[in-house]
Amino acid sequence: MLSAEKPEQAPRAKGLDSAVRKKAIGGLLKAAKTGHLEASLRQFEETAEAAEEPAMTLEELRRPAT
């Protein structure tokens, strides 16, 4: 029978994870407020649309080299 208890984690590790998450979320919120997030997404979409066809198709990559 499996135990329902979760393995214990060090309190320091939990705090670090929380601090990292808060910093990442804060960065995203700041980027959204300043318009950098929208500009980055727009630039990514334009780059993806302008990308050339891949040199090889997936099927060509799967074929063994002879």
Coordinates of all heavy atoms in Angstrom, one line a residue:
M1 N 0.9 -1.2 0.0 CA 0.0 0.0 0.0 C 0.9 1.2 0.0 O 1.9 1.3 0.7 CB -0.9 0.0 1.2 CG -1.8 1.2 1.3 SD -2.8 1.0 2.8 CE -4.4 1.1 2.0
L2 N 0.6 2.2 -0.8 CA 1.4 3.4 -0.9 C 1.0 4.4 0.2 O -0.2 4.5 0.5 CB 1.2 4.1 -2.3 CG 1.6 3.3 -3.5 CD1 1.2 4.0 -4.8 CD2 3.1 3.1 -3.5
S3 N 1.9 5.1 0.7 CA 1.7 6.1 1.7 C 1.2 7.3 1.1 O 1.6 7.8 0.0 CB 3.0 6.3 2.5 OG 2.8 7.4 3.4
A4 N 0.2 8.0 1.7 CA -0.3 9.3 1.2 C 0.6 10.5 1.6 O 0.3 11.6 1.2 CB -1.7 9.5 1.8
E5 N 1.6 10.2 2.4 CA 2.4 11.3 2.8 C 3.4 11.7 1.7 O 3.8 10.9 0.9 CB 3.3 10.9 4.0 CG 2.5 10.6 5.3 CD 3.4 10.1 6.4 OE1 4.6 10.6 6.4 OE2 3.0 9.3 7.2
K6 N 3.6 13.0 1.6 CA 4.5 13.6 0.6 C 5.9 13.6 1.2 O 6.1 13.8 2.4 CB 4.1 15.0 0.3 CG 2.8 15.1 -0.5 CD 2.5 16.5 -0.8 CE 1.1 16.6 -1.5 NZ 0.8 18.0 -1.9
P7 N 6.9 13.4 0.4 CA 8.3 13.5 0.9 C 8.6 14.9 1.4 O 8.1 15.9 0.9 CB 9.2 13.2 -0.3 CG 8.3 13.2 -1.5 CD 6.9 13.1 -1.0
E8 N 9.3 15.0 2.5 CA 9.6 16.3 3.1 C 10.7 17.0 2.2 O 11.6 16.4 1.6 CB 10.2 16.1 4.5 CG 9.2 15.6 5.5 CD 9.7 15.6 6.9 OE1 10.6 16.4 7.2 OE2 9.2 14.7 7.6
Q9 N 10.5 18.3 2.1 CA 11.5 19.2 1.4 C 12.1 20.1 2.5 O 11.4 20.5 3.4 CB 10.8 20.0 0.3 CG 10.3 19.1 -0.8 CD 9.7 20.0 -1.9 OE1 9.4 21.2 -1.7 NE2 9.4 19.4 -3.0
A10 N 13.3 20.5 2.2 CA 13.9 21.5 3.1 C 13.2 22.8 3.0 O 12.9 23.2 1.9 CB 15.4 21.6 2.7
P11 N 13.0 23.5 4.1 CA 12.3 24.8 4.0 C 13.0 25.8 3.1 O 12.4 26.6 2.4 CB 12.3 25.3 5.5 CG 12.5 24.0 6.3 CD 13.2 23.1 5.4
R12 N 14.3 25.7 3.1 CA 15.1 26.7 2.3 C 14.8 26.4 0.8 O 14.7 27.4 0.0 CB 16.6 26.4 2.5 CG 17.5 27.4 1.8 CD 18.9 27.3 2.3 NE 19.7 28.3 1.6 CZ 21.0 28.3 1.7 NH1 21.7 27.4 2.3 NH2 21.7 29.2 1.1
A13 N 14.7 25.2 0.4 CA 14.4 24.9 -1.0 C 13.0 25.5 -1.4 O 12.9 26.0 -2.5 CB 14.5 23.4 -1.3
K14 N 12.0 25.3 -0.6 CA 10.7 25.9 -0.8 C 10.8 27.4 -1.0 O 10.2 27.9 -1.9 CB 9.7 25.5 0.3 CG 9.3 24.1 0.3 CD 8.3 23.9 1.4 CE 7.9 22.4 1.5 NZ 7.0 22.2 2.6
G15 N 11.5 28.1 -0.1 CA 11.6 29.5 -0.2 C 12.3 30.0 -1.4 O 11.9 30.9 -2.1
L16 N 13.3 29.2 -1.9 CA 14.0 29.6 -3.1 C 13.1 29.5 -4.3 O 13.1 30.3 -5.1 CB 15.3 28.7 -3.2 CG 16.1 29.0 -4.5 CD1 16.7 30.4 -4.5 CD2 17.3 28.0 -4.6
D17 N 12.4 28.4 -4.4 CA 11.5 28.2 -5.5 C 10.4 29.3 -5.5 O 10.1 29.8 -6.6 CB 10.7 26.8 -5.4 CG 11.7 25.6 -5.6 OD1 12.7 25.8 -6.2 OD2 11.3 24.5 -5.2
S18 N 9.9 29.7 -4.4 CA 8.9 30.7 -4.3 C 9.5 32.0 -4.7 O 8.9 32.8 -5.5 CB 8.4 30.8 -2.9 OG 7.5 31.9 -2.8
A19 N 10.7 32.3 -4.3 CA 11.4 33.6 -4.7 C 11.7 33.7 -6.2 O 11.5 34.7 -6.8 CB 12.7 33.8 -3.9
V20 N 12.1 32.6 -6.7 CA 12.4 32.5 -8.2 C 11.1 32.7 -8.9 O 11.0 33.5 -9.9 CB 13.0 31.2 -8.5 CG1 13.1 31.0 -10.0 CG2 14.4 31.1 -7.9
R21 N 10.0 32.1 -8.5 CA 8.7 32.2 -9.2 C 8.2 33.7 -9.1 O 7.8 34.2 -10.1 CB 7.7 31.3 -8.5 CG 7.5 30.0 -9.3 CD 6.4 29.2 -8.7 NE 7.0 28.4 -7.7 CZ 6.5 28.1 -6.5 NH1 5.3 28.5 -6.2 NH2 7.2 27.3 -5.7
K22 N 8.3 34.3 -7.9 CA 7.9 35.7 -7.8 C 8.7 36.6 -8.7 O 8.1 37.5 -9.3 CB 8.0 36.1 -6.3 CG 7.0 35.5 -5.4 CD 7.2 36.0 -4.0 CE 6.1 35.3 -3.1 NZ 6.3 35.8 -1.7
K23 N 10.0 36.4 -8.8 CA 10.8 37.2 -9.6 C 10.5 37.1 -11.1 O 10.4 38.1 -11.8 CB 12.3 36.9 -9.4 CG 13.3 37.8 -10.2 CD 14.7 37.4 -9.8 CE 15.6 38.4 -10.6 NZ 17.0 38.1 -10.3
A24 N 10.2 35.8 -11.5 CA 9.8 35.6 -12.9 C 8.5 36.2 -13.2 O 8.3 36.9 -14.3 CB 9.8 34.1 -13.2
I25 N 7.5 36.1 -12.3 CA 6.2 36.7 -12.5 C 6.3 38.2 -12.5 O 5.7 38.9 -13.3 CB 5.2 36.2 -11.4 CG1 4.9 34.7 -11.6 CG2 3.9 37.0 -11.4 CD1 4.2 34.1 -10.5
G26 N 7.1 38.8 -11.6 CA 7.3 40.2 -11.6 C 7.9 40.7 -12.9 O 7.5 41.8 -13.4
G27 N 8.8 40.0 -13.4 CA 9.4 40.4 -14.7 C 8.4 40.3 -15.9 O 8.4 41.2 -16.7
L28 N 7.6 39.3 -15.9 CA 6.5 39.2 -16.9 C 5.5 40.4 -16.8 O 5.1 41.0 -17.8 CB 5.8 37.9 -16.8 CG 6.6 36.7 -17.3 CD1 5.8 35.4 -17.0 CD2 6.9 36.8 -18.8
L29 N 5.1 40.7 -15.6 CA 4.2 41.8 -15.3 C 4.8 43.1 -15.8 O 4.1 44.0 -16.4 CB 3.8 41.9 -13.9 CG 2.9 40.7 -13.4 CD1 2.6 40.8 -11.9 CD2 1.5 40.8 -14.2
K30 N 6.1 43.3 -15.5 CA 6.7 44.6 -15.8 C 6.8 44.7 -17.4 O 6.6 45.7 -17.9 CB 8.1 44.6 -15.2 CG 8.9 45.9 -15.5 CD 10.2 45.9 -14.9 CE 11.0 47.2 -15.2 NZ 12.3 47.2 -14.7
A31 N 7.2 43.6 -18.0 CA 7.3 43.6 -19.5 C 5.9 43.8 -20.1 O 5.8 44.5 -21.1 CB 7.8 42.2 -20.0
A32 N 4.8 43.3 -19.5 CA 3.5 43.5 -20.0 C 3.1 45.0 -19.9 O 2.5 45.6 -20.8 CB 2.5 42.6 -19.3
K33 N 3.4 45.6 -18.8 CA 3.1 47.0 -18.5 C 3.8 47.9 -19.4 O 3.2 48.9 -19.9 CB 3.4 47.4 -17.1 CG 2.4 46.8 -16.1 CD 2.7 47.2 -14.7 CE 1.8 46.6 -13.6 NZ 2.2 46.9 -12.3
T34 N 5.0 47.7 -19.7 CA 5.8 48.6 -20.6 C 5.7 48.3 -22.1 O 6.2 49.1 -22.9 CB 7.3 48.4 -20.2 OG1 7.8 47.1 -20.5 CG2 7.6 48.8 -18.8
G35 N 5.0 47.2 -22.4 CA 4.8 46.9 -23.8 C 5.9 46.0 -24.4 O 5.8 45.7 -25.6
H36 N 6.9 45.7 -23.7 CA 8.0 44.9 -24.2 C 7.5 43.5 -24.5 O 7.9 42.8 -25.4 CB 9.1 44.8 -23.2 CG 9.9 46.0 -23.1 ND1 9.7 47.0 -22.1 CD2 10.9 46.5 -23.9 CE1 10.5 48.0 -22.3 NE2 11.3 47.7 -23.4
L37 N 6.5 43.0 -23.7 CA 6.0 41.6 -23.9 C 5.3 41.5 -25.3 O 5.6 40.6 -26.1 CB 5.1 41.2 -22.8 CG 4.6 39.8 -22.8 CD1 5.8 38.8 -22.7 CD2 3.7 39.5 -21.6
E38 N 4.4 42.5 -25.6 CA 3.7 42.5 -26.8 C 4.7 42.6 -28.0 O 4.6 42.0 -29.0 CB 2.7 43.6 -26.9 CG 1.5 43.3 -26.0 CD 0.5 44.5 -26.1 OE1 0.3 45.0 -27.2 OE2 -0.1 44.8 -25.0
A39 N 5.7 43.5 -27.8 CA 6.7 43.7 -28.9 C 7.5 42.4 -29.2 O 7.7 42.1 -30.3 CB 7.6 44.8 -28.6
S40 N 7.8 41.7 -28.1 CA 8.6 40.5 -28.2 C 7.7 39.4 -29.0 O 8.2 38.7 -29.8 CB 9.0 39.9 -26.9 OG 9.9 40.8 -26.3
L41 N 6.5 39.3 -28.6 CA 5.6 38.3 -29.2 C 5.4 38.7 -30.7 O 5.4 37.8 -31.5 CB 4.2 38.3 -28.5 CG 4.2 37.6 -27.1 CD1 2.9 37.8 -26.4 CD2 4.6 36.2 -27.2
R42 N 5.2 40.0 -31.0 CA 5.0 40.4 -32.4 C 6.2 40.1 -33.2 O 6.2 39.6 -34.3 CB 4.7 41.9 -32.4 CG 4.2 42.4 -33.7 CD 3.7 43.8 -33.8 NE 3.2 44.3 -32.5 CZ 3.8 45.2 -31.7 NH1 4.9 45.6 -31.9 NH2 3.1 45.6 -30.6
Q43 N 7.4 40.4 -32.6 CA 8.7 40.1 -33.3 C 8.8 38.6 -33.6 O 9.3 38.2 -34.6 CB 9.9 40.6 -32.5 CG 11.2 40.4 -33.2 CD 12.3 40.9 -32.4 OE1 12.2 41.2 -31.2 NE2 13.5 41.0 -33.0
F44 N 8.5 37.8 -32.6 CA 8.6 36.3 -32.7 C 7.6 35.8 -33.9 O 8.0 35.0 -34.7 CB 8.2 35.6 -31.4 CG 8.1 34.1 -31.6 CD1 9.3 33.4 -31.6 CD2 6.9 33.5 -31.7 CE1 9.2 32.0 -31.7 CE2 6.8 32.1 -31.8 CZ 8.0 31.4 -31.8
E45 N 6.4 36.4 -33.9 CA 5.5 36.0 -34.9 C 6.0 36.4 -36.3 O 5.9 35.6 -37.3 CB 4.1 36.5 -34.7 CG 3.4 35.9 -33.5 CD 2.1 36.6 -33.1 OE1 1.8 37.7 -33.7 OE2 1.4 36.1 -32.2
E46 N 6.5 37.6 -36.4 CA 7.0 38.0 -37.7 C 8.2 37.2 -38.2 O 8.3 36.8 -39.3 CB 7.4 39.5 -37.6 CG 6.3 40.4 -37.5 CD 6.7 41.9 -37.2 OE1 7.9 42.1 -37.0 OE2 5.8 42.7 -37.1
T47 N 9.1 36.8 -37.2 CA 10.2 36.0 -37.6 C 9.8 34.6 -38.0 O 10.3 34.1 -39.0 CB 11.2 35.9 -36.3 OG1 11.5 37.2 -35.9 CG2 12.4 35.1 -36.7
A48 N 8.8 34.1 -37.3 CA 8.3 32.7 -37.7 C 7.6 32.7 -39.1 O 7.8 31.8 -39.9 CB 7.3 32.2 -36.6
E49 N 6.9 33.8 -39.4 CA 6.3 33.9 -40.7 C 7.3 34.1 -41.8 O 7.1 33.6 -42.9 CB 5.3 35.1 -40.7 CG 4.1 34.9 -39.9 CD 3.2 36.1 -39.8 OE1 3.5 37.1 -40.4 OE2 2.2 36.0 -39.1
A50 N 8.4 34.8 -41.5 CA 9.4 35.1 -42.5 C 10.4 34.0 -42.7 O 11.2 34.0 -43.6 CB 10.1 36.4 -42.2
A51 N 10.3 33.0 -41.8 CA 11.3 31.9 -41.8 C 11.2 31.1 -43.1 O 10.1 30.9 -43.7 CB 11.1 30.9 -40.7
E52 N 12.3 30.7 -43.7 CA 12.3 30.0 -44.9 C 12.0 28.5 -44.6 O 12.0 28.1 -43.5 CB 13.7 30.0 -45.5 CG 14.2 31.4 -45.9 CD 15.6 31.4 -46.5 OE1 16.0 30.3 -47.0 OE2 16.2 32.4 -46.5
E53 N 11.7 27.8 -45.7 CA 11.4 26.4 -45.5 C 12.6 25.7 -45.0 O 13.7 26.0 -45.3 CB 11.0 25.8 -46.9 CG 9.7 26.3 -47.4 CD 8.5 25.7 -46.6 OE1 8.5 24.6 -46.2 OE2 7.6 26.5 -46.4
P54 N 12.4 24.7 -44.2 CA 13.6 23.9 -43.7 C 14.4 23.2 -44.8 O 13.8 22.9 -45.8 CB 13.0 22.9 -42.7 CG 11.5 22.9 -43.0 CD 11.2 24.1 -43.7
A55 N 15.6 23.1 -44.6 CA 16.5 22.5 -45.7 C 16.1 21.0 -45.9 O 16.2 20.5 -47.0 CB 17.9 22.6 -45.3
M56 N 15.7 20.4 -44.8 CA 15.3 19.0 -44.9 C 13.9 18.8 -44.3 O 13.6 19.4 -43.3 CB 16.3 18.1 -44.2 CG 17.7 18.1 -44.8 SD 18.8 17.1 -43.9 CE 18.4 15.5 -44.5
T57 N 13.1 17.9 -44.8 CA 11.9 17.5 -44.2 C 12.1 16.5 -43.1 O 13.2 15.9 -43.0 CB 10.9 16.9 -45.2 OG1 11.4 15.7 -45.7 CG2 10.7 17.9 -46.4
L58 N 11.1 16.3 -42.3 CA 11.2 15.4 -41.2 C 11.5 14.0 -41.7 O 12.3 13.2 -41.2 CB 9.9 15.4 -40.4 CG 9.9 14.5 -39.1 CD1 11.0 15.0 -38.2 CD2 8.5 14.7 -38.4
E59 N 10.8 13.6 -42.8 CA 11.0 12.3 -43.4 C 12.5 12.1 -43.9 O 13.1 11.1 -43.8 CB 10.1 12.0 -44.6 CG 8.7 11.8 -44.2 CD 8.5 10.7 -43.2 OE1 9.1 9.6 -43.4 OE2 7.7 10.8 -42.2
E60 N 13.1 13.2 -44.5 CA 14.5 13.1 -44.9 C 15.4 13.0 -43.7 O 16.4 12.3 -43.8 CB 14.8 14.4 -45.7 CG 14.1 14.5 -47.0 CD 14.3 15.8 -47.7 OE1 14.6 16.8 -47.0 OE2 14.2 15.9 -48.9
L61 N 15.1 13.6 -42.6 CA 15.9 13.5 -41.4 C 15.8 12.1 -40.8 O 16.8 11.6 -40.2 CB 15.5 14.5 -40.3 CG 15.8 15.9 -40.7 CD1 15.2 16.9 -39.6 CD2 17.3 16.1 -40.7
R62 N 14.7 11.4 -41.0 CA 14.5 10.1 -40.4 C 15.2 9.0 -41.2 O 15.6 8.0 -40.6 CB 13.0 9.7 -40.3 CG 12.3 10.5 -39.3 CD 10.8 10.1 -39.2 NE 10.1 10.8 -38.2 CZ 8.8 10.9 -38.1 NH1 8.1 10.2 -39.0 NH2 8.3 11.6 -37.1
R63 N 15.5 9.2 -42.5 CA 16.1 8.2 -43.3 C 17.6 8.1 -42.8 O 18.3 9.0 -42.6 CB 16.2 8.7 -44.7 CG 14.9 8.5 -45.4 CD 15.0 8.7 -46.9 NE 13.8 9.5 -47.3 CZ 13.8 10.5 -48.2 NH1 15.0 10.9 -48.7 NH2 12.7 11.1 -48.5
P64 N 18.0 6.8 -42.7 CA 19.4 6.6 -42.3 C 20.4 7.1 -43.4 O 20.1 7.0 -44.6 CB 19.5 5.1 -42.2 CG 18.3 4.5 -42.8 CD 17.3 5.6 -42.9
A65 N 21.5 7.6 -43.0 CA 22.5 8.0 -43.9 C 23.1 6.8 -44.6 O 23.4 5.8 -44.1 CB 23.6 8.8 -43.2
T66 N 23.3 7.0 -45.9 CA 23.9 5.9 -46.7 C 25.3 6.2 -47.2 O 25.7 7.3 -47.2 CB 23.1 5.5 -47.9 OG1 22.9 6.7 -48.7 CG2 21.8 5.0 -47.5

